[in-house]
């Protein structure tokens, strides 16, 4: 096996303010002369379970003491011609910002047009000479803007249904035991994404005037909180791929002959080109904007700074439109899985080893099938595949056959290790319920934010896995992630655009592959149950290793 075929990746840890250790100078016990710098000792031993002050830090609600602060919301305004990936950009930004607990919603002018006028407008509707069409599009743009204002003015966020009973719940949780990340409950910032062409200076100025008018909006939005993201694309291959994707997915062309749909859409693009005015410093130097050219080959920034704009830029710089397949799989059955034990770092069972072989055969079979098919958005290439695992034995052993094959690049990620169960590592759920019923009850009340003594919550793991998610978005190659149940729940929730809080009950069974293919309008998903093949492989294994079965 080639040493160069395996990369061990330990990305820098992102630190949540609630988890960071205070910097405390060493002190000396005068009676014993022994240094009592607990934090330094803990840091060196990497053990938190024995120190109660550290394993159960006090979490302060982020909204406490800030009631008089003016919350500054954001609006991201997409700019660009059709087939430049604006809807894909909007979805990616919404997915990532919601993941970071910034309540984000996309407002699509095209969808609003189809709601009001119905689908199927021809290219003539978008022609500059069509005055009626121009007025209707202008009206639809204002209606969409008003929906953005109404949404921002509405103080009830997705999590506010929880806020009403929050205090009582927290009292009950404290009675039940456990430790919770209370600050995550309150979403203070909202970010609206206006997905439309917005191709003229007049239109962009109208958007600024409406959003900064104090009579329209309760929560002040400064000019620098309106971020324009312009997608400029001159690459004919990317444009053609986007046109084909829109022809397949857009409601405007349902039931339309593919050749006629493409021809009409190209005419629509030309109609917009006649009126297109790119963002220009000669006229719009005071705008906060990001220009993305040819899907990330070049970026131009103006007046961009701060936490949320920085995250927006990070998403855009990792973004691409190359279709690819992402497979999620748990490791094969481990010895601890057989016993029903939590956590640990056990080896694979015999059946788990069989899954490693079956998984490898499945991937090779799919690669061969895809080579004989036409490569498309729905069926991207599976060559040059990356394989990611954690640093735990059961995922490394499941990837054995991939590490022996030079056609695969295998990487190990520490941040993909399984959820740390703390003092419950090596326990069964039955034992926790019997010996620590308060902790069992606390976990059942809120799995996402519950942190066992000495362990971590799903929320802790969310921040831990962010480096892998950033790299996942950046990669152009097909990707197989051999992970763990809790980690794969988070990754699945992210890839499908669900909120992190919803991930804790998602079924991620053993010996099953989840296939996700992202596209401009969402994603395609399939599941492959390999249990039957694993059972057959296991029977062959028993026949070879149990002589009595051959008699």
């Amino acid at each position: 096996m080639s040493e160069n075929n395996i990369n061990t990746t330990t990305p820098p840890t992102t630190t949540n303010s609630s988890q960071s250790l205070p910097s405390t100078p060493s002190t000396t016990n005068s009676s014993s002369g022994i240094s009592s710098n607990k934090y330094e000792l803990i840091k060196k031993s990497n053990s938190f379970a024995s120190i109660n002050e550290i394993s159960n830090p006090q979490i302060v609600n982020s909204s406490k003491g800030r009631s008089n602060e003016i919350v500054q919301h954001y609006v991201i305004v997409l700019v660009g011609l059709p087939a430049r990936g604006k809807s894909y950009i909007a979805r990616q930004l919404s997915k990532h910002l919601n993941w970071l607990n910034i309540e984000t919603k996309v407002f699509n002018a095209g969808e609003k047009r189809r709601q009001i006028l119905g689908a199927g407008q021809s290219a003539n509707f978008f022609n500059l000479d069509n005055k009626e069409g121009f007025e209707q599009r202008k009206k639809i743009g204002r209606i969409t803007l008003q929906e953005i204002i109404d949404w921002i003015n509405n103080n009830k966020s997705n999590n506010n249904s929880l806020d009403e009973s929050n205090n009582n719940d927290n009292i009950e949780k404290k009675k039940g035991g456990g430790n919770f990340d209370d600050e995550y409950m309150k979403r203070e910032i909202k970010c609206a994404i206006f997905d439309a062409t917005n191709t003229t200076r007049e239109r962009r100025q109208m958007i600024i005037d409406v959003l900064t008018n104090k009579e329209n909006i309760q929560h002040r939005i400064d000019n620098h909180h309106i971020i324009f993201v312009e997608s400029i694309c001159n690459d004919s291959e990317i444009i053609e791929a986007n046109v084909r994707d829109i022809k397949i997915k857009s409601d405007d062309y349902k039931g339309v002959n593919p050749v006629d749909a493409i021809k009409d859409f190209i005419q629509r693009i030309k109609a917009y080109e006649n009126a297109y005015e790119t963002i220009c410093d000669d006229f719009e130097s005071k705008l906060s904007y990001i220009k993305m050219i040819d899907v990330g080959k070049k970026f131009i920034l103006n007046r961009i700074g701060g936490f949320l704009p920085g995250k927006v830029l990070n998403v855009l710089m990792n973004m691409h439109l190359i279709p690819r397949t992402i497979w999620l799989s748990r490791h094969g059955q481990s010895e601890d899985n057989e016993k029903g034990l939590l956590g640990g770092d056990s080896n694979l069972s015999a059946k788990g080893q069989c899954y490693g072989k079956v998984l490898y055969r499945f991937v090779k079979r799919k690669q061969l099938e895809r080579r004989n098919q036409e490569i498309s958005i729905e069926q991207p290439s599976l060559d040059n595949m990356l394989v990611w695992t954690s640093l735990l034995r059961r995922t490394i052993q499941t990837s054995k056959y991939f590490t022996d094959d030079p056609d695969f690049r295998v990487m190990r990620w520490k941040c993909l290790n399984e959820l740390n169960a703390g003092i419950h590592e090596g326990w069964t759920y039955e034992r926790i319920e019997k010996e620590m019923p308060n902790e069992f009850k606390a976990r059942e009340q809120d799995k996402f934010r519950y942190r066992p003594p000495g362990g971590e919550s799903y929320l802790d793991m969310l921040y831990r896995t962010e480096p892998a998610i950033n790299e996942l978005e950046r990669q152009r190659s097909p990707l197989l992630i051999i992970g763990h149940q809790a980690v794969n729940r988070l990754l699945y929730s992210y890839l499908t655009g669900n909120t992190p809080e919803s991930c804790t009950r998602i079924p991620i069974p053993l010996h099953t592959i989840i296939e996700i293919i992202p596209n401009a309008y969402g994603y395609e998903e399939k599941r492959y149950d390999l249990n039957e093949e694993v059972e057959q492989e296991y029977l062959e294994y028993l026949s070879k290793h149990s002589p009595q079965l051959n008699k």
Side-chain angles (χ1 to χ4, degrees):
M1 182 178 70
S2 174
E3 287 289 326
N4 296 330
N5 196 35
I6 304 178
N7 293 320
T8 302
T9 305
T10 308
T13 305
T14 55
T15 306
N16 180 8
S17 60
S18 66
Q19 296 171 284
S20 58
L21 298 177
S23 177
T24 305
S26 296
T27 58
T28 303
N29 187 318
S30 58
S31 60
S32 63
I34 298 173
S35 172
S36 61
N37 187 344
K38 285 193 292 186
Y39 299 119
E40 194 64 28
L41 291 172
I42 293 166
K43 198 172 182 181
K44 288 178 181 177
S45 69
N46 199 29
S47 173
F48 292 82
S50 60
I51 307 296
N52 187 58
E53 300 97 312
I54 301 303
S55 67
N56 286 289
Q58 183 179 3
I59 304 297
V60 179
N61 193 312
S62 62
S63 62
K64 190 173 288 186
R66 297 170 60 183
S67 58
N68 294 327
E69 277 192 26
I70 298 174
V71 175
Q72 291 272 356
H73 300 300
Y74 285 82
V75 177
I76 298 171
V77 181
L78 276 298
V79 176
L81 294 169
R84 265 56 178 183
K86 295 186 302 300
S87 292
Y88 181 68
I89 291 169
R91 291 176 189 275
Q92 289 293 98
L93 288 174
S94 175
K95 179 175 71 175
H96 201 86
L97 293 178
N98 272 308
W99 185 258
L100 295 174
N101 198 36
I102 298 166
E103 189 174 3
T104 307
K105 185 176 180 180
V106 177
F107 296 83
N108 185 288
E111 290 179 3
K112 183 56 60 179
R113 168 178 57 80
R114 286 184 282 272
Q115 287 176 15
I116 295 172
L117 303 177
Q121 277 80 30
S122 68
N124 181 59
F125 178 80
F126 304 91
N127 198 303
L128 274 178
D129 297 329
N130 187 339
K131 301 299 182 183
E132 183 182 354
F134 175 78
E135 289 300 324
Q136 285 179 316
R137 286 186 285 122
K138 189 175 179 180
K139 181 180 177 181
I140 288 165
R142 285 189 170 274
I143 291 172
T144 309
L145 267 179
Q146 187 57 51
E147 288 189 352
I148 290 174
I149 291 169
D150 292 342
W151 180 72
I152 290 174
N153 285 339
N154 185 358
N155 291 324
K156 290 185 177 181
S157 69
N158 288 341
N159 283 347
N160 275 6
S161 61
L162 295 170
D163 292 342
E164 296 174 3
S165 58
N166 210 16
N167 292 334
N168 291 335
D169 285 350
N170 285 339
I171 291 169
E172 288 301 315
K173 286 168 184 173
K174 286 175 182 177
K175 288 180 181 177
N179 176 38
F180 295 88
D181 302 307
D182 292 330
E183 80 278 13
Y184 194 80
M185 296 296 290
K186 183 69 174 177
R187 292 188 172 192
E188 296 179 338
I189 300 175
K190 286 185 175 182
C191 179
I193 301 176
F194 186 15
D195 181 9
T197 53
N198 301 315
T199 48
T200 66
R201 285 192 288 274
E202 180 186 358
R203 168 86 165 216
R204 293 191 286 271
Q205 188 58 50
M206 181 272 291
I207 292 169
I208 293 170
D209 292 341
V210 171
L211 292 176
T212 56
N213 188 335
K214 294 180 180 179
E215 295 180 2
N216 291 336
I217 196 157
Q218 296 173 8
H219 299 276
R220 194 179 97 202
I221 296 181
D222 289 339
N223 281 18
H224 67 279
H225 278 225
I226 303 172
I227 304 170
F228 291 86
V229 175
E230 183 175 10
S231 178
I232 300 171
C233 187
N234 301 311
D235 189 320
S236 58
E237 289 186 8
I238 294 174
I239 294 171
E240 288 172 10
N242 288 345
V243 169
R244 287 196 302 271
D245 192 26
I246 289 167
K247 177 262 296 180
I248 293 167
K249 301 289 193 314
S250 174
D251 289 337
D252 281 333
Y253 296 108
K254 278 189 176 179
V256 178
N257 179 280
V259 175
D260 293 338
I262 291 174
K263 184 178 178 181
D264 182 84
F265 195 77
I266 290 173
Q267 290 300 314
R268 183 190 297 191
I269 294 173
K270 289 179 179 178
Y272 274 104
E273 284 176 339
N274 293 331
Y276 186 24
E277 296 170 321
T278 185
I279 295 175
C280 175
D281 281 348
D282 291 341
F283 302 98
E284 300 173 291
S285 61
K286 292 185 178 180
L287 295 188
S288 295
Y289 68 78
I290 301 171
K291 281 192 178 189
M292 184 168 67
I293 300 169
D294 289 336
V295 198
K297 289 183 180 177
K298 182 178 179 181
F299 286 87
I300 300 173
L301 313 181
N302 189 60
R303 297 175 181 265
I304 296 297
F307 174 77
L308 188 141
K311 291 298 181 182
V312 168
L313 180 60
N314 182 59
V315 173
L316 294 176
M317 294 186 76
N318 288 325
M319 190 179 297
H320 61 85
L321 296 175
I322 297 172
R324 61 183 175 143
T325 299
I326 299 170
W327 280 334
L328 297 178
S329 171
R330 285 176 68 183
H331 52 80
Q333 183 193 64
S334 69
E335 293 172 349
D336 282 348
N337 287 146
E338 284 186 306
K339 301 170 186 175
L341 302 180
L342 296 176
D345 190 18
S346 66
N347 294 313
L348 291 180
S349 67
K351 189 173 287 187
Q353 294 173 34
C354 292
Y355 176 67
K357 186 183 292 186
V358 169
L359 175 63
Y360 173 74
R361 285 203 304 251
F362 170 86
V363 172
K364 296 292 283 188
R365 186 168 66 245
K366 285 294 180 182
Q367 284 182 325
L368 183 60
E369 288 176 5
R370 196 60 52 84
R371 289 187 192 119
N372 297 326
Q373 296 170 343
E374 182 181 355
I375 301 302
S376 66
I377 293 169
E378 288 77 25
Q379 294 182 322
S381 171
L382 291 174
D383 292 329
N384 303 312
M385 179 171 284
L386 284 168
V387 179
W388 290 359
T389 78
S390 72
L391 294 185
L392 299 180
R393 290 189 192 125
R394 49 196 185 273
T395 63
I396 294 173
Q397 291 171 5
T398 304
S399 70
K400 173 183 181 300
Y401 295 95
F402 296 99
T403 58
D404 293 339
D405 190 332
D407 290 339
F408 296 92
R409 291 172 290 160
V410 181
M411 298 177 68
R412 317 290 191 204
W413 288 80
K414 184 177 181 181
C415 68
L416 293 181
N417 283 0
E418 181 58 307
L419 185 75
N420 182 357
I423 65 170
H424 297 149
E425 291 272 321
W427 289 35
T428 64
Y429 287 118
E430 291 77 12
R431 181 183 172 190
I432 297 171
E433 185 176 16
K434 181 179 179 181
E435 297 184 20
M436 302 184 75
N438 289 341
E439 294 294 327
F440 185 85
K441 180 183 176 183
R443 177 182 176 275
E444 287 301 306
Q445 285 179 328
D446 189 345
K447 281 184 69 177
F448 181 71
R449 298 185 309 123
Y450 167 74
R451 182 189 293 141
E456 62 181 345
S457 65
Y458 271 88
L459 175 56
D460 295 329
M461 190 169 60
L462 182 151
Y463 294 121
R464 166 165 54 94
T465 56
E466 190 178 358
I469 284 174
N470 288 333
E471 182 66 14
L472 182 154
E473 292 291 5
R474 189 183 71 81
Q475 285 296 333
R476 270 71 168 167
S477 300
L479 174 63
L480 167 64
I481 300 175
I482 302 174
H484 305 270
Q485 178 169 252
V487 174
N488 282 7
R489 280 172 169 166
L490 272 177
L491 295 176
Y492 175 87
S493 181
Y494 174 79
L495 289 167
T496 56
N498 291 302
T499 59
E501 302 98 309
S502 66
C503 78
T504 60
R505 308 287 180 180
I506 294 172
I508 308 287
L510 285 171
H511 307 162
T512 300
I513 297 174
I514 302 172
E515 178 183 272
I516 297 172
I517 303 177
N519 58 51
Y521 289 85
Y523 64 95
E524 302 289 337
E525 178 183 347
K526 291 182 182 176
R527 293 203 176 206
Y528 301 93
D529 187 343
L530 302 184
N531 278 288
E532 188 173 328
E533 288 185 57
V534 171
E535 287 298 331
Q536 292 175 355
E537 186 67 32
Y538 183 56
L539 288 175
E540 291 182 19
Y541 169 86
L542 290 177
S543 66
K544 291 177 183 177
H545 293 81
S546 301
Q548 64 272 20
L549 294 179
N550 294 323
K551 294 180 181 179

